[in-house]
């Protein structure tokens, strides 16, 4: 299949901010005396901020108002954004940068499709602020993955039909979103074992074998 564009999830695909998310959510969970560990954190991958907090609140001994939820998720994001300031171009691997450059040289449009509202900030930190042809993120969607909205918006921004776009994801929710949006997908990392993707990648540069 010949693809005109590739839509990349950001966290876990282009770069890794899992540890910063974990530290920020842990600070909030500790404040509320809620147990929080890596297993719970893994359930939050590819999920919106409020949905992530609702998962954490499954272990909360009490009832929380929407107003309080907004307060705590805002506090979490402020902690997270402060941690993100530690990111730099060192957080963009040579393999990822070289692969992206080669895809661009082949004339393939490149986009981000991320549920994060901090996607542009992160891209600036790692030196890719102006690199992508389109960015679809948590700021322009109503529904987070596995809803396909973030990927369909990316295709719309690229002025391409969904079937001409290939999605690259490390989370099962992202692969399900690609399927729901009528797009082929590449799984990388933990998502490979789900067997939901069109292609499974052993490493990031294997995309070059798919996007010919």
């Amino acid at each position: 299949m010949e693809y005109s564009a590739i839509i990349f999830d950001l966290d876990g695909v282009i770069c890794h901010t899992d540890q910063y998310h974990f530290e920020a959510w842990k600070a909030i969970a500790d404040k509320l005396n809620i147990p929080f560990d890596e297993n719970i954190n893994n359930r939050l991958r590819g999920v919106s901020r409020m949905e992530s907090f609702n998962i954490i609140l499954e272990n909360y001994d009490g009832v929380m108002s929407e107003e309080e939820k907004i307060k705590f998720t805002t506090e979490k994001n402020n902690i997270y954004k402060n941690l993100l300031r530690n990111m730099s171009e060192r957080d963009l691997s040579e393999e990822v940068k070289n692969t992206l450059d080669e895809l661009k040289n082949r004339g393939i449009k490149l986009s981000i499709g991320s549920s994060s509202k901090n996607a542009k900030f992160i891209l600036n930190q790692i030196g890719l602020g102006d690199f992508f042809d389109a960015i679809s993120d948590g700021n322009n969607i109503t529904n987070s993955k596995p809803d396909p909205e973030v990927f369909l918006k990316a295709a719309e921004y690229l002025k391409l039909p969904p079937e001409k776009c290939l999605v690259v994801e490390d989370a099962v929710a992202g692969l399900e979103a690609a399927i729901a949006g009528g797009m082929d997908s590449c799984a990388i990392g933990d998502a490979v074992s789900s067997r939901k993707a069109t292609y499974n990648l052993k490493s990031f540069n294997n995309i070059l074998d798919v996007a010919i």
Side-chain angles (χ1 to χ4, degrees):
M1 172 79 179
E2 191 174 310
Y3 302 101
S4 301
I6 301 178
I7 305 170
F8 297 92
D9 177 42
L10 179 58
D11 192 15
V13 176
I14 299 295
C15 61
H16 298 272
T17 65
D18 273 6
Q19 187 57 35
Y20 299 137
H21 275 298
F22 177 80
E23 289 176 30
W25 280 128
K26 184 81 166 66
I28 298 299
D30 286 351
K31 181 182 274 195
L32 294 167
N33 293 315
I34 301 173
F36 186 74
D37 57 21
E38 294 284 359
N39 289 329
I40 298 170
N41 192 57
N42 285 339
R43 289 178 60 198
L44 314 183
R45 293 172 67 184
V47 176
S48 73
R49 191 183 308 155
M50 189 58 76
E51 287 178 53
S52 293
F53 193 42
N54 285 331
I55 290 170
I56 291 168
L57 288 175
E58 289 171 7
N59 296 312
Y60 180 56
D61 186 20
V63 178
M64 189 173 291
S65 68
E66 287 304 310
E67 195 175 81
E68 287 177 301
K69 287 182 183 181
I70 291 168
K71 177 189 139 191
F72 284 114
T73 52
T74 300
E75 185 179 343
K76 179 268 174 181
N77 193 51
N78 289 335
I79 296 168
Y80 175 62
K81 283 185 83 169
N82 280 330
L83 292 169
L84 288 180
R85 295 184 193 283
N86 296 319
M87 294 190 80
S88 69
E89 293 183 20
R90 292 191 304 274
D91 290 285
L92 178 65
S93 76
E94 197 172 324
E95 177 190 3
V96 170
K97 184 63 171 71
N98 290 343
T99 303
L100 292 174
D101 285 339
E102 175 57 27
L103 290 169
K104 226 171 201 190
N105 288 339
R106 294 182 184 184
I108 296 170
K109 297 275 189 188
L110 305 178
S111 173
I112 292 293
S114 168
S115 298
S116 172
K117 291 187 175 180
N118 299 301
K120 290 177 184 174
F121 181 81
I122 294 168
L123 289 170
N124 280 324
Q125 289 294 103
I126 63 174
L128 291 177
D130 301 315
F131 183 85
F132 291 90
D133 297 292
I135 295 173
S136 178
D137 62 16
N139 295 298
N140 62 256
I141 59 170
T142 309
N143 306 297
S144 62
K145 305 166 189 174
D147 190 282
E149 184 182 9
V150 71
F151 295 141
L152 293 174
K153 289 270 189 187
E156 181 186 324
Y157 296 158
L158 293 167
K159 297 181 170 58
L160 288 168
E163 61 270 18
K164 281 290 185 181
C165 300
L166 177 69
V167 167
V168 183
E169 265 285 355
D170 74 317
V172 173
L175 295 177
E176 290 173 347
I179 292 166
M183 300 178 184
D184 285 354
S185 61
C186 289
I188 195 166
D190 292 344
V192 169
S193 61
S194 72
R195 301 185 181 277
K196 289 180 181 284
T198 317
Y199 312 98
N200 290 315
L201 307 178
K202 288 183 179 176
S203 62
F204 189 86
N205 61 16
N206 289 152
I207 298 165
L208 297 174
D209 301 324
V210 176
I212 297 170

